Amino acid sequence: VRAHLDDLDAINFALDQVELRAQSVPLQIFGPRERALGTARAAEFLERLRRQPDEEPDSMALLVEAIEDSGAVVAANNDPDRGFDLGVWSDDLASIGGNPLVIEVKWKLMPGATSQVRRALMKHPTARLALLVYLHPAPGDPTTTGVDPLPTSYPVLNISLSMLIQRMAEASFAEVVRDLRNQSVHGSFPS
């Protein structure tokens, strides 16, 4: 509005014009946009994981499909020697600074892998959170115990691919990541 601050008539006139032209927009309540895979879809992913050849590209394609089915947006890195394997954008992760969430896929979770990912994360200009997904669980396989045997350490969160898919049966990808983050930072376990 172009008016002097003490010209209340001009300001009120402008506000009246805006009010007349404003459309009534229904109030939308925003909640989580992503969704759980569901038990049947998660079981399908787990069966495909069990049957597929033991190769990282196949497992990564399955991971991308599961995350996208949950409602997040995934971009794969075409040069695996430079940067992280995947980048995920999720509106539901924005509240914990998880956009983009970078993902590194490893064959096994070896000593030093978390430190290596943490160093790479510090060099990334925009990412503040990384997920380290490993294909082969350590002894105490989480698919039989229901709990991932290896602790996670913020800002690098660890989870086996099979456990991630199991958890995504009842929670969205973003909820699983948020639970991992809460477990790492606050010591609370998934709800």
Side-chain angles (χ1 to χ4, degrees), residues 113-137:
T114 302
S115 298
Q116 177 187 10
V117 172
R118 182 176 287 113
R119 284 190 300 275
L121 183 62
M122 298 305 170
K123 294 177 184 175
H124 197 284
T126 57
R128 298 187 310 168
L129 186 61
L131 184 64
L132 176 56
V133 177
Y134 53 98
L135 305 179
H136 293 281

mmCIF file of all heavy atoms in Angstrom, residues 113-137:
data_model
loop_
_atom_site.group_PDB
_atom_site.id
_atom_site.type_symbol
_atom_site.label_atom_id
_atom_site.label_comp_id
_atom_site.label_asym_id
_atom_site.label_seq_id
_atom_site.Cartn_x
_atom_site.Cartn_y
_atom_site.Cartn_z
ATOM 1 N N ALA A 113 33.020 -47.735 9.243
ATOM 2 C CA ALA A 113 32.098 -47.303 8.183
ATOM 3 C C ALA A 113 31.322 -46.061 8.597
ATOM 4 O O ALA A 113 31.163 -45.123 7.805
ATOM 5 C CB ALA A 113 31.141 -48.432 7.819
ATOM 6 N N THR A 114 30.857 -46.024 9.837
ATOM 7 C CA THR A 114 30.108 -44.860 10.315
ATOM 8 C C THR A 114 30.988 -43.616 10.316
ATOM 9 O O THR A 114 30.558 -42.541 9.900
ATOM 10 C CB THR A 114 29.546 -45.125 11.724
ATOM 11 O OG1 THR A 114 28.709 -46.282 11.667
ATOM 12 C CG2 THR A 114 28.733 -43.962 12.232
ATOM 13 N N SER A 115 32.244 -43.766 10.740
ATOM 14 C CA SER A 115 33.177 -42.622 10.739
ATOM 15 C C SER A 115 33.440 -42.132 9.325
ATOM 16 O O SER A 115 33.515 -40.922 9.073
ATOM 17 C CB SER A 115 34.496 -43.012 11.391
ATOM 18 O OG SER A 115 34.292 -43.367 12.728
ATOM 19 N N GLN A 116 33.563 -43.067 8.400
ATOM 20 C CA GLN A 116 33.792 -42.702 6.998
ATOM 21 C C GLN A 116 32.605 -41.902 6.460
ATOM 22 O O GLN A 116 32.786 -40.872 5.803
ATOM 23 C CB GLN A 116 33.998 -43.974 6.168
ATOM 24 C CG GLN A 116 34.183 -43.725 4.700
ATOM 25 C CD GLN A 116 34.200 -45.034 3.901
ATOM 26 O OE1 GLN A 116 33.887 -46.112 4.411
ATOM 27 N NE2 GLN A 116 34.568 -44.935 2.645
ATOM 28 N N VAL A 117 31.394 -42.340 6.747
ATOM 29 C CA VAL A 117 30.200 -41.633 6.288
ATOM 30 C C VAL A 117 30.094 -40.278 6.982
ATOM 31 O O VAL A 117 29.731 -39.284 6.360
ATOM 32 C CB VAL A 117 28.934 -42.489 6.506
ATOM 33 C CG1 VAL A 117 27.673 -41.694 6.215
ATOM 34 C CG2 VAL A 117 28.989 -43.742 5.628
ATOM 35 N N ARG A 118 30.441 -40.210 8.259
ATOM 36 C CA ARG A 118 30.405 -38.939 8.995
ATOM 37 C C ARG A 118 31.360 -37.920 8.360
ATOM 38 O O ARG A 118 31.012 -36.757 8.188
ATOM 39 C CB ARG A 118 30.762 -39.154 10.464
ATOM 40 C CG ARG A 118 30.679 -37.852 11.279
ATOM 41 C CD ARG A 118 30.942 -38.039 12.759
ATOM 42 N NE ARG A 118 29.801 -38.695 13.378
ATOM 43 C CZ ARG A 118 29.823 -39.932 13.884
ATOM 44 N NH1 ARG A 118 30.919 -40.649 13.860
ATOM 45 N NH2 ARG A 118 28.742 -40.455 14.414
ATOM 46 N N ARG A 119 32.567 -38.367 7.992
ATOM 47 C CA ARG A 119 33.525 -37.453 7.343
ATOM 48 C C ARG A 119 32.986 -36.964 5.994
ATOM 49 O O ARG A 119 33.105 -35.787 5.668
ATOM 50 C CB ARG A 119 34.880 -38.139 7.166
ATOM 51 C CG ARG A 119 35.694 -38.234 8.441
ATOM 52 C CD ARG A 119 37.125 -38.693 8.195
ATOM 53 N NE ARG A 119 37.216 -40.011 7.570
ATOM 54 C CZ ARG A 119 37.180 -41.167 8.226
ATOM 55 N NH1 ARG A 119 37.056 -41.169 9.539
ATOM 56 N NH2 ARG A 119 37.285 -42.308 7.580
ATOM 57 N N ALA A 120 32.393 -37.859 5.229
ATOM 58 C CA ALA A 120 31.817 -37.470 3.935
ATOM 59 C C ALA A 120 30.649 -36.505 4.136
ATOM 60 O O ALA A 120 30.472 -35.563 3.363
ATOM 61 C CB ALA A 120 31.366 -38.712 3.170
ATOM 62 N N LEU A 121 29.863 -36.723 5.187
ATOM 63 C CA LEU A 121 28.726 -35.850 5.475
ATOM 64 C C LEU A 121 29.196 -34.436 5.804
ATOM 65 O O LEU A 121 28.584 -33.458 5.374
ATOM 66 C CB LEU A 121 27.911 -36.423 6.640
ATOM 67 C CG LEU A 121 26.650 -35.678 7.041
ATOM 68 C CD1 LEU A 121 25.647 -35.653 5.892
ATOM 69 C CD2 LEU A 121 26.027 -36.332 8.271
ATOM 70 N N MET A 122 30.289 -34.325 6.527
ATOM 71 C CA MET A 122 30.823 -33.007 6.891
ATOM 72 C C MET A 122 31.273 -32.224 5.659
ATOM 73 O O MET A 122 31.288 -30.997 5.678
ATOM 74 C CB MET A 122 31.992 -33.136 7.869
ATOM 75 C CG MET A 122 31.642 -33.781 9.175
ATOM 76 S SD MET A 122 30.262 -32.924 9.966
ATOM 77 C CE MET A 122 29.886 -34.052 11.281
ATOM 78 N N LYS A 123 31.605 -32.914 4.583
ATOM 79 C CA LYS A 123 32.038 -32.256 3.346
ATOM 80 C C LYS A 123 30.858 -31.881 2.454
ATOM 81 O O LYS A 123 31.013 -31.145 1.493
ATOM 82 C CB LYS A 123 32.983 -33.173 2.568
ATOM 83 C CG LYS A 123 34.292 -33.413 3.283
ATOM 84 C CD LYS A 123 35.156 -34.385 2.510
ATOM 85 C CE LYS A 123 36.422 -34.707 3.272
ATOM 86 N NZ LYS A 123 37.218 -35.729 2.599
ATOM 87 N N HIS A 124 29.684 -32.432 2.749
ATOM 88 C CA HIS A 124 28.497 -32.169 1.930
ATOM 89 C C HIS A 124 27.938 -30.799 2.290
ATOM 90 O O HIS A 124 27.709 -30.504 3.459
ATOM 91 C CB HIS A 124 27.445 -33.262 2.166
ATOM 92 C CG HIS A 124 26.407 -33.322 1.127
ATOM 93 N ND1 HIS A 124 25.392 -32.410 1.051
ATOM 94 C CD2 HIS A 124 26.228 -34.180 0.102
ATOM 95 C CE1 HIS A 124 24.617 -32.716 0.029
ATOM 96 N NE2 HIS A 124 25.100 -33.784 -0.564
ATOM 97 N N PRO A 125 27.712 -29.937 1.307
ATOM 98 C CA PRO A 125 27.326 -28.558 1.606
ATOM 99 C C PRO A 125 25.929 -28.389 2.209
ATOM 100 O O PRO A 125 25.704 -27.439 2.949
ATOM 101 C CB PRO A 125 27.409 -27.855 0.248
ATOM 102 C CG PRO A 125 27.297 -28.943 -0.751
ATOM 103 C CD PRO A 125 27.866 -30.180 -0.120
ATOM 104 N N THR A 126 24.986 -29.277 1.931
ATOM 105 C CA THR A 126 23.619 -29.049 2.404
ATOM 106 C C THR A 126 23.069 -30.139 3.315
ATOM 107 O O THR A 126 22.113 -29.893 4.033
ATOM 108 C CB THR A 126 22.651 -28.904 1.210
ATOM 109 O OG1 THR A 126 22.733 -30.082 0.404
ATOM 110 C CG2 THR A 126 22.974 -27.683 0.380
ATOM 111 N N ALA A 127 23.616 -31.315 3.288
ATOM 112 C CA ALA A 127 23.065 -32.413 4.088
ATOM 113 C C ALA A 127 23.569 -32.345 5.522
ATOM 114 O O ALA A 127 24.716 -32.000 5.779
ATOM 115 C CB ALA A 127 23.437 -33.748 3.464
ATOM 116 N N ARG A 128 22.681 -32.676 6.450
ATOM 117 C CA ARG A 128 23.054 -32.694 7.865
ATOM 118 C C ARG A 128 22.799 -34.053 8.514
ATOM 119 O O ARG A 128 23.082 -34.232 9.684
ATOM 120 C CB ARG A 128 22.273 -31.634 8.626
ATOM 121 C CG ARG A 128 22.571 -30.235 8.138
ATOM 122 C CD ARG A 128 21.950 -29.180 8.987
ATOM 123 N NE ARG A 128 20.539 -29.440 9.218
ATOM 124 C CZ ARG A 128 19.825 -28.790 10.119
ATOM 125 N NH1 ARG A 128 20.365 -27.883 10.861
ATOM 126 N NH2 ARG A 128 18.552 -29.066 10.284
ATOM 127 N N LEU A 129 22.235 -34.989 7.747
ATOM 128 C CA LEU A 129 21.854 -36.282 8.285
ATOM 129 C C LEU A 129 22.107 -37.344 7.230
ATOM 130 O O LEU A 129 21.793 -37.139 6.062
ATOM 131 C CB LEU A 129 20.368 -36.247 8.666
ATOM 132 C CG LEU A 129 19.755 -37.435 9.372
ATOM 133 C CD1 LEU A 129 20.433 -37.677 10.714
ATOM 134 C CD2 LEU A 129 18.272 -37.213 9.586
ATOM 135 N N ALA A 130 22.691 -38.463 7.652
ATOM 136 C CA ALA A 130 22.986 -39.552 6.713
ATOM 137 C C ALA A 130 22.427 -40.858 7.262
ATOM 138 O O ALA A 130 22.374 -41.070 8.476
ATOM 139 C CB ALA A 130 24.490 -39.687 6.490
ATOM 140 N N LEU A 131 22.025 -41.714 6.345
ATOM 141 C CA LEU A 131 21.553 -43.046 6.693
ATOM 142 C C LEU A 131 22.503 -44.043 6.052
ATOM 143 O O LEU A 131 22.741 -43.996 4.843
ATOM 144 C CB LEU A 131 20.129 -43.262 6.171
ATOM 145 C CG LEU A 131 19.454 -44.576 6.531
ATOM 146 C CD1 LEU A 131 19.261 -44.683 8.043
ATOM 147 C CD2 LEU A 131 18.106 -44.680 5.836
ATOM 148 N N LEU A 132 23.060 -44.915 6.862
ATOM 149 C CA LEU A 132 23.960 -45.966 6.398
ATOM 150 C C LEU A 132 23.158 -47.258 6.387
ATOM 151 O O LEU A 132 22.783 -47.772 7.440
ATOM 152 C CB LEU A 132 25.177 -46.060 7.313
ATOM 153 C CG LEU A 132 26.189 -47.160 7.034
ATOM 154 C CD1 LEU A 132 26.713 -47.091 5.616
ATOM 155 C CD2 LEU A 132 27.337 -47.060 8.024
ATOM 156 N N VAL A 133 22.850 -47.742 5.184
ATOM 157 C CA VAL A 133 22.061 -48.969 5.032
ATOM 158 C C VAL A 133 23.022 -50.077 4.638
ATOM 159 O O VAL A 133 23.728 -49.960 3.650
ATOM 160 C CB VAL A 133 20.964 -48.803 3.953
ATOM 161 C CG1 VAL A 133 20.204 -50.101 3.751
ATOM 162 C CG2 VAL A 133 20.015 -47.672 4.330
ATOM 163 N N TYR A 134 23.053 -51.124 5.436
ATOM 164 C CA TYR A 134 23.935 -52.243 5.121
ATOM 165 C C TYR A 134 23.096 -53.442 4.719
ATOM 166 O O TYR A 134 21.972 -53.632 5.179
ATOM 167 C CB TYR A 134 24.901 -52.544 6.262
ATOM 168 C CG TYR A 134 24.273 -52.746 7.609
ATOM 169 C CD1 TYR A 134 24.015 -54.028 8.093
ATOM 170 C CD2 TYR A 134 23.948 -51.661 8.417
ATOM 171 C CE1 TYR A 134 23.450 -54.217 9.335
ATOM 172 C CE2 TYR A 134 23.384 -51.848 9.656
ATOM 173 C CZ TYR A 134 23.131 -53.131 10.111
ATOM 174 O OH TYR A 134 22.558 -53.313 11.339
ATOM 175 N N LEU A 135 23.660 -54.233 3.807
ATOM 176 C CA LEU A 135 22.903 -55.323 3.200
ATOM 177 C C LEU A 135 22.954 -56.613 4.005
ATOM 178 O O LEU A 135 22.007 -57.382 3.998
ATOM 179 C CB LEU A 135 23.405 -55.581 1.779
ATOM 180 C CG LEU A 135 23.395 -54.340 0.871
ATOM 181 C CD1 LEU A 135 23.926 -54.687 -0.499
ATOM 182 C CD2 LEU A 135 22.009 -53.735 0.793
ATOM 183 N N HIS A 136 24.061 -56.843 4.675
ATOM 184 C CA HIS A 136 24.208 -58.089 5.428
ATOM 185 C C HIS A 136 24.364 -57.791 6.894
ATOM 186 O O HIS A 136 25.373 -57.217 7.310
ATOM 187 C CB HIS A 136 25.403 -58.900 4.907
ATOM 188 C CG HIS A 136 25.162 -59.385 3.522
ATOM 189 N ND1 HIS A 136 24.388 -60.473 3.246
ATOM 190 C CD2 HIS A 136 25.545 -58.884 2.336
ATOM 191 C CE1 HIS A 136 24.321 -60.635 1.937
ATOM 192 N NE2 HIS A 136 25.014 -59.676 1.364
ATOM 193 N N PRO A 137 23.374 -58.180 7.684
ATOM 194 C CA PRO A 137 23.436 -57.924 9.120
ATOM 195 C C PRO A 137 24.570 -58.691 9.788
ATOM 196 O O PRO A 137 25.006 -59.731 9.309
ATOM 197 C CB PRO A 137 22.091 -58.415 9.641
ATOM 198 C CG PRO A 137 21.217 -58.514 8.445
ATOM 199 C CD PRO A 137 22.115 -58.768 7.276
#
